[in-house]
Amino acid sequence: MSSIHQRQQLQQQHQQHLLSDSYPISARSSPNWGRSISVFGRTGLLVLLTLVVVLGVVLPGMRAPDGLFGGSKVSVSKWREYTLEEAVPFAAKNGTLIVCAVSQPYLPFLNNWLISISRQKHQDKVLVIAEDYATLYAVNDRWPGHAVLVPPAPDAQVAHKFGSQGFFNFTSRRPRHLLYILELGYNVMYNDVDMVWLADPFPYLQGDHDVYFTDDMTAVKPLNHSHDLPPPGKKGRTYICSCMIFMRPTDGAKLVMKDWIEELQAQPWSNAKKSNDQPAFNWALNRTAAQVDLYLLPQVAFPTGGLYFKNQTWVQETKGLHVIIHNNYITGFEKKIKRFRDFGLWLVDDYALESPLGRI
C-alpha cells in the first residue's frame, strides 16, 4: 500500500472520529440539544445520506446499497492486498476452515453450495479462494473477508472444460493453498462447488487421522466397508476423488500435499497427456500411505456422482444416509445445472436468500 494511500486512510479515519465526537447521535448529550438537527427530519436525512456517500459511513441498522462501494478504489485496493495469512484466521472457526476455489463462471455453483452449507450452520467458516479478481470483489462486496485471491491469478474468465490446460492450471494450484493453510496450523476441508450438503459431514470425521477422502469409483461397497486406502486400479493407482478432502495440520497431511505438488510439477499438462490434478493426488496418497494415517470416508455418506445420479435403486435403498453429493461424472456447465435441477438439488432458484451472498 502506498504512503499516499495510507495517509488518505488515516485522514478519513480522523474525519470520522471527529464527526463521531463532534456530532453525537444522542441530541441530549450536547449542551445545545434543543437546537440539534433531528435525524428523522429532512435536513437530518440529507446529512446522513451525505455521510454514507462521501465517507462510506454506515450506521447500525443501515445497509449500504449493493455495489455502492464495490467498485471504489479503496475497496479494490483493500481486497487486492488481502492475503491468505490474513483471511484464514478471519474465516476459521474453532481451528477449522472450509475452503473452495472458484472462478467467475462458477459463482452460481458457489451460491448453491453455500446455501446447502448454511442449512448445516457451517457457512461462517467458509473461505472462498477466488481465481480471478471479479470473483474476489463479487464475494467480498457481499460477504466481506470471506474471499481471497492468491496471486498470480490464472486465466479464469471462462468455465474451463475438464481436461483442458486451463482446467489443469486452475486445479493444480489447490495443493499449494491447502499446504499453506496446514502450515498456519488449521484443520481444513476442501470442497469443489459442484457439491451439495444434505447433512453435516463433521460427525463423520472420526478419530485423529491425517487425511480423509472419498472414493471416486461407482461400484457399490458394503455399508461396513474398510476405511483403508483402496487397492490400486488398472492404472497402478487408486481412484480417490481430489474434490472432497479433510486434513488436520499434521506432518502426515503436509507430506501428502508436498508430494502432490511435486507430482504435478513432474507431470505437467500437455496436448498428448491432457491430465488433471486428481491422478497426481492419487500417486501422492499411494507413495505416502505407509507414512501417513489415511481414512476413506463411507461411500454411502459421500457417494460419487457416477453412483448417486446413475443408480437410483441404490439411492432408494440408502435414502437418508447421504451427506455430500458430488455432481461429477458429467462435464459441461449447463449439463451440471440441469442434473442438479432434475434431482431437486439446484437451490439458487428458490432459496438464494439463504446464502451469505444473496442473489448474485
Side-chain angles (χ1 to χ4, degrees), residues 30-180:
S30 168
N32 297 320
W33 65 268
R35 299 171 56 190
S36 64
I37 297 172
S38 171
V39 172
F40 300 101
R42 181 177 179 182
T43 304
L45 290 174
L46 285 174
V47 171
L48 287 176
L49 182 60
T50 301
L51 288 172
V52 171
V53 173
V54 176
L55 299 177
V57 174
V58 180
L59 298 177
M62 293 179 63
R63 182 178 183 273
D66 289 341
L68 182 60
F69 307 112
S72 71
K73 291 181 180 179
V74 172
S75 176
V76 168
S77 175
K78 175 182 178 180
W79 298 126
R80 286 183 75 94
E81 296 169 4
Y82 192 45
T83 66
L84 194 57
E85 188 173 7
E86 294 171 312
V88 168
F90 171 81
K93 299 292 180 291
N94 299 318
T96 298
L97 191 69
I98 302 169
V99 171
C100 66
V102 184
S103 61
Q104 187 180 24
Y106 282 90
L107 283 175
F109 284 91
L110 170 64
N111 225 21
N112 199 65
W113 176 71
L114 282 173
I115 293 167
S116 71
I117 292 179
S118 296
R119 292 178 174 183
Q120 306 305 323
K121 312 301 182 185
H122 286 294
Q123 73 279 8
D124 288 342
K125 58 172 68 78
V126 169
L127 178 63
V128 177
I129 298 181
E131 295 292 358
D132 53 49
Y133 286 102
T135 301
L136 176 70
Y137 304 143
V139 173
N140 280 337
D141 280 351
R142 294 165 175 81
W143 200 23
H146 282 272
V148 64
L149 187 146
V150 181
D155 179 16
Q157 297 302 317
V158 295
H160 293 300
K161 183 179 179 181
F162 181 83
S164 68
Q165 184 173 9
F167 185 84
F168 177 82
N169 293 342
F170 178 85
T171 58
S172 63
R173 290 160 52 89
R174 183 186 315 172
R176 292 185 180 277
H177 302 329
L178 296 178
L179 176 59
Y180 191 82

Side-chain angles (χ1 to χ4, degrees), residues 131-311:
E131 295 292 358
D132 53 49
Y133 286 102
T135 301
L136 176 70
Y137 304 143
V139 173
N140 280 337
D141 280 351
R142 294 165 175 81
W143 200 23
H146 282 272
V148 64
L149 187 146
V150 181
D155 179 16
Q157 297 302 317
V158 295
H160 293 300
K161 183 179 179 181
F162 181 83
S164 68
Q165 184 173 9
F167 185 84
F168 177 82
N169 293 342
F170 178 85
T171 58
S172 63
R173 290 160 52 89
R174 183 186 315 172
R176 292 185 180 277
H177 302 329
L178 296 178
L179 176 59
Y180 191 82
I181 294 167
L182 293 173
E183 295 284 7
L184 290 175
Y186 291 85
N187 302 316
V188 59
M189 175 185 286
Y190 175 84
N191 277 190
D192 272 3
V193 293
D194 60 345
M195 291 183 167
V196 169
W197 290 24
L198 301 183
D200 186 348
F202 284 93
Y204 293 82
L205 306 174
Q206 302 171 359
D208 294 313
H209 308 286
D210 297 323
V211 184
Y212 300 70
F213 45 79
T214 63
D215 201 338
D216 213 14
M217 298 295 287
T218 60
V220 175
K221 299 178 184 291
L223 293 180
N224 61 344
H225 68 74
S226 169
H227 297 289
D228 294 335
L229 185 70
K234 294 179 181 179
K235 295 184 179 180
R237 56 172 170 76
T238 49
Y239 293 89
I240 299 303
C241 186
S242 60
C243 306
M244 159 61 199
I245 307 168
F246 179 80
M247 293 178 289
R248 304 191 190 281
T250 61
D251 290 339
K254 296 172 189 176
L255 177 63
V256 173
M257 292 300 101
K258 291 173 183 176
D259 204 275
W260 189 3
I261 293 167
E262 290 174 4
E263 182 63 28
L264 286 168
Q265 293 172 337
Q267 301 291 336
W269 188 93
S270 67
N271 284 318
K273 188 178 181 181
K274 298 180 179 181
S275 60
N276 60 78
D277 71 315
Q278 188 159 301
F281 178 58
N282 278 269
W283 285 120
L285 289 174
N286 294 173
R287 279 198 294 264
T288 61
Q291 304 162 264
V292 182
D293 187 353
L294 304 175
Y295 187 85
L296 176 66
L297 290 163
Q299 182 191 55
V300 69
F302 303 88
T304 182
L307 175 58
Y308 183 85
F309 293 108
K310 297 184 178 182
N311 189 336

Side-chain angles (χ1 to χ4, degrees), residues 325-340:
I325 306 303
H326 187 196
N327 196 356
N328 63 342
Y329 274 80
I330 190 173
T331 58
F333 188 87
E334 296 301 331
K335 289 180 180 178
K336 283 179 179 281
I337 292 177
K338 182 181 184 303
R339 187 159 76 172
F340 264 157

